[in-house]
Amino acid sequence: MKIKDLDGYKNQEVESLLRRIPFFKELQSHNPKQLEILLRYSCLVELDPGETIMRRGDRGSWLYFLIKGRLVVYLDQAEEIPLSHITPGELFGDLALLCDHQRKATVAADSGDKHALLFATDFKPFGDLSDFSVVDLQTKLIFYRTMVHSIRWRLELKRMQLPAHPLAAETRQVPTYKGPKETEEELRSLFQQAKFLALVLDKWNSDGLSIEDVVVANAANSS
């Protein structure tokens, strides 16, 4: 595994990478200063074929975005039959982040592919929800809106595939918000929505149908 500091890349190269990630793409337009702060907690990760980036049972505050290559998702060990694959434009690690639980799958670079390149960000500087000393209100609003949209999209895909699944009805029970926009009140509501949806998706993933801790957030569907 090679950890690459973003300082070693030209601004244009970094900007090109960020445009592939909905959250950072929006932050580029709305608040470059906040983007600069989060980039201090970000890096690029290069994996050799077969190398593991995440193990079942791990805890962590990192969110990963696959830029190039292909990753394989296993329940526990890389020698097992794969549960699914992650392709460029997808991200993973958000369910453990939102639900505050251990990673529920092992993720490794495809042994039959070339090097995989990931963009990784540590979300520790987000701090408590109401702490805006490092990450401001607007940035947190953008982040949780992105998460709500992303998880809703994945749940909708599952609901279309399995409309009779017991959890399908729960996807329609997410709390709604009708108060003033751009406020802490809206942020708290978005956080609760994201957590509610993440818990539903986590239960759906953990029922033996497709156990994974993976976000399939294709940029084309999340912008």
Side-chain angles (χ1 to χ4, degrees):
M1 182 186 303
K2 297 179 181 177
I3 308 298
K4 300 183 176 182
D5 194 286
L6 296 178
D7 290 340
Y9 290 81
K10 297 179 181 178
N11 289 339
Q12 290 182 334
E13 292 176 314
V14 175
E15 290 173 2
S16 177
L17 289 174
L18 296 179
R19 283 195 290 269
R20 307 181 194 183
I21 304 170
F23 168 61
F24 288 111
K25 180 180 179 181
E26 188 168 354
L27 205 56
Q28 275 181 313
S29 302
H30 286 82
N31 199 327
K33 289 185 178 180
Q34 281 284 286
L35 175 62
E36 183 179 340
I37 290 173
L38 290 183
L39 290 183
R40 295 174 195 162
Y41 298 88
S42 302
C43 63
L44 286 171
V45 180
E46 187 178 283
L47 299 177
D48 290 330
E51 195 167 17
T52 298
I53 182 65
M54 177 187 294
R55 294 187 184 279
R56 177 180 171 87
D58 286 350
R59 282 190 174 274
S61 56
W62 288 80
L63 201 56
Y64 301 93
F65 307 82
L66 181 59
I67 302 298
K68 184 173 65 175
R70 190 170 82 151
L71 304 178
V72 187
V73 182
Y74 303 95
L75 175 58
D76 195 2
Q77 302 294 331
E79 293 78 14
E80 299 170 342
I81 297 174
L83 297 171
S84 62
H85 294 84
I86 303 173
T87 56
E90 298 176 359
L91 63 92
F92 59 100
D94 70 328
L95 295 190
L97 192 64
L98 289 170
C99 299
D100 191 28
H101 60 49
Q102 296 176 342
R103 309 293 192 185
K104 292 194 172 182
T106 293
V107 180
D110 192 329
S111 59
D113 206 348
K114 298 179 181 179
H115 296 288
L117 183 65
L118 300 88
F119 188 93
T121 298
D122 187 353
F123 278 81
K124 281 183 182 176
F126 267 57
D128 294 333
L129 192 66
S130 58
D131 179 4
F132 306 116
S133 59
V134 179
V135 179
D136 65 21
L137 173 63
Q138 183 61 36
T139 300
K140 291 189 177 184
L141 285 167
I142 293 172
F143 175 73
Y144 284 107
R145 284 172 188 152
T146 303
M147 290 297 100
V148 168
H149 178 86
S150 169
I151 301 171
R152 275 185 183 277
W153 175 68
R154 282 171 285 156
L155 282 170
E156 181 62 20
L157 289 179
K158 286 184 173 292
R159 191 186 65 79
M160 289 189 294
Q161 294 168 356
L162 298 167
H165 193 284
L167 290 171
E170 287 196 38
T171 64
R172 302 186 182 92
Q173 297 174 9
V174 60
T176 58
Y177 177 72
K178 298 180 181 179
K181 300 291 186 180
E182 310 301 324
T183 62
E184 284 191 54
E185 186 181 358
E186 183 189 9
L187 176 62
R188 288 192 292 271
S189 177
L190 287 169
F191 173 76
Q192 292 301 324
Q193 289 179 52
K195 190 167 185 178
F196 178 91
L197 291 167
L199 287 170
V200 174
L201 182 57
D202 187 51
K203 284 193 292 183
W204 202 324
N205 286 340
S206 299
D207 68 358
L209 293 172
S210 56
I211 304 171
E212 56 187 329
D213 181 20
V214 176
V215 177
V216 185
N218 189 290
N221 294 289
S222 302
S223 56

